[in-house]
């Protein structure tokens, strides 16, 4: 049996507890990350759903933005769900003026692309050829375009919208798997962390 990797959850804003529970169920040791020193101690990181502009501003305030960028450039595995997907995008559409991301995935993401809170929905998706997973979309983004090194892992709306991608050690979904009780996406990510 392999040793459980330590996976941090960006804990300044977002659905932190739900991701921590899913990571533990997937075989990782989950810890909260609020400071640069905590970031240095993890093998991988989850950036949860929440509000991407708030995450960016808090990451700057808590002096985490540059350390996050450096760890990701250095090859640390990271998984972003919903707002976390936006944070891992190299480029965004529909952001506020001056909005920054951590970056790392060569993609353009449109904020709130599926609509407002009232437009939230659930769908079953084929994820990375691993079978069907339940996905919850809440004010979710979608991927407008990807670079040649980005792998599409799932699509929604009759295959028209990219909603899950991977580029090397980085994974992003526009939906919230942590809210479903299905730990398939988290298990996929924990396996990615173990591989590195």
């Amino acid at each position: 049996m392999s040793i459980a990797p330590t996976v941090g959850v960006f804990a300044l804003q977002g659905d932190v507890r739900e991701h921590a529970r899913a990571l533990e169920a997937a075989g990782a040791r989950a810890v909260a990350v609020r400071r640069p020193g905590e970031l240095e101690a993890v093998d991988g990181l989850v950036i949860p759903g929440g509000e991407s502009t708030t995450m960016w501003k808090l990451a700057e305030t808590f002096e985490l933005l540059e350390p996050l960028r450096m760890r990701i450039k250095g090859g640390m595995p990271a998984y972003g769900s919903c707002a976390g997907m936006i944070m891992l995008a190299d480029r965004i559409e529909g952001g506020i003026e001056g909005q920054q991301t951590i970056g790392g995935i060569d993609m353009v993401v449109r904020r709130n692309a599926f609509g407002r809170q009232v437009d939230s929905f659930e769908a079953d998706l084929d994820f990375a050829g691993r079978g069907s997973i339940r996905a919850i979309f809440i004010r979710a983004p979608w991927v407008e375009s990807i670079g040649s090194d980005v792998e599409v892992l799932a699509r929604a709306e009759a295959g028209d919208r990219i909603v899950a991608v991977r580029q090397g050690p980085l994974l992003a979904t526009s939906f919230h798997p942590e809210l479903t009780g299905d730990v398939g996406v988290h298990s996929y990510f924990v396996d990615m962390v173990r591989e590195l």
Side-chain angles (χ1 to χ4, degrees):
M1 185 173 175
S2 63
I3 296 173
T6 300
V7 178
V9 180
F10 178 86
L12 297 179
Q13 201 259 343
D15 49 350
V16 176
R17 284 188 313 234
E18 294 85 351
H19 275 290
R21 275 190 227 118
L23 287 166
E24 296 276 344
R29 188 173 79 83
V31 298
V33 172
R34 294 180 187 89
R35 303 276 184 208
E38 294 165 340
L39 178 63
E40 287 302 316
V42 299
D43 302 312
L45 181 73
V46 171
I47 305 166
E51 211 293 312
S52 62
T53 56
T54 301
M55 287 182 174
W56 153 56
K57 291 174 182 178
L58 287 171
E60 281 193 326
T61 299
F62 284 81
E63 299 179 347
L64 263 174
L65 190 59
E66 286 307 314
L68 283 164
R69 287 176 175 155
M70 296 307 295
R71 284 292 316 268
I72 286 171
K73 280 183 184 175
M76 176 187 70
Y79 164 46
S81 70
C82 198
M85 172 185 256
I86 296 166
M87 294 298 290
L88 288 176
D90 284 348
R91 296 166 305 285
I92 58 173
E93 290 186 7
I96 66 168
E97 187 174 331
Q99 183 173 351
Q100 296 181 38
T101 66
I102 298 164
I105 299 179
D106 183 12
M107 64 180 170
V108 177
V109 171
R110 178 175 299 282
R111 289 181 74 236
N112 301 325
F114 283 106
R116 299 163 42 127
Q117 189 87 17
V118 70
D119 300 313
S120 299
F121 66 98
E122 296 184 33
D124 291 317
L125 306 174
D126 179 46
F127 180 78
R130 291 182 162 215
S132 182
I133 61 164
R134 191 75 176 156
I136 298 175
F137 294 84
I138 304 170
R139 292 178 51 223
W142 67 47
V143 178
E144 290 277 331
S145 63
I146 57 172
S148 60
D149 292 333
V150 179
E151 177 185 3
V152 174
L153 301 178
R155 294 177 181 269
E157 296 201 337
D160 292 338
R161 300 294 177 203
I162 300 170
V163 296
V165 296
R166 178 178 180 179
Q167 183 175 357
L170 304 178
L171 173 67
T173 63
S174 62
F175 53 89
H176 292 269
E178 73 281 3
L179 300 178
T180 67
D182 179 345
V183 298
V185 175
H186 289 82
S187 294
Y188 182 89
F189 179 63
V190 170
D191 288 346
M192 287 173 55
V193 176
R194 282 190 174 114
E195 290 169 7
L196 296 175

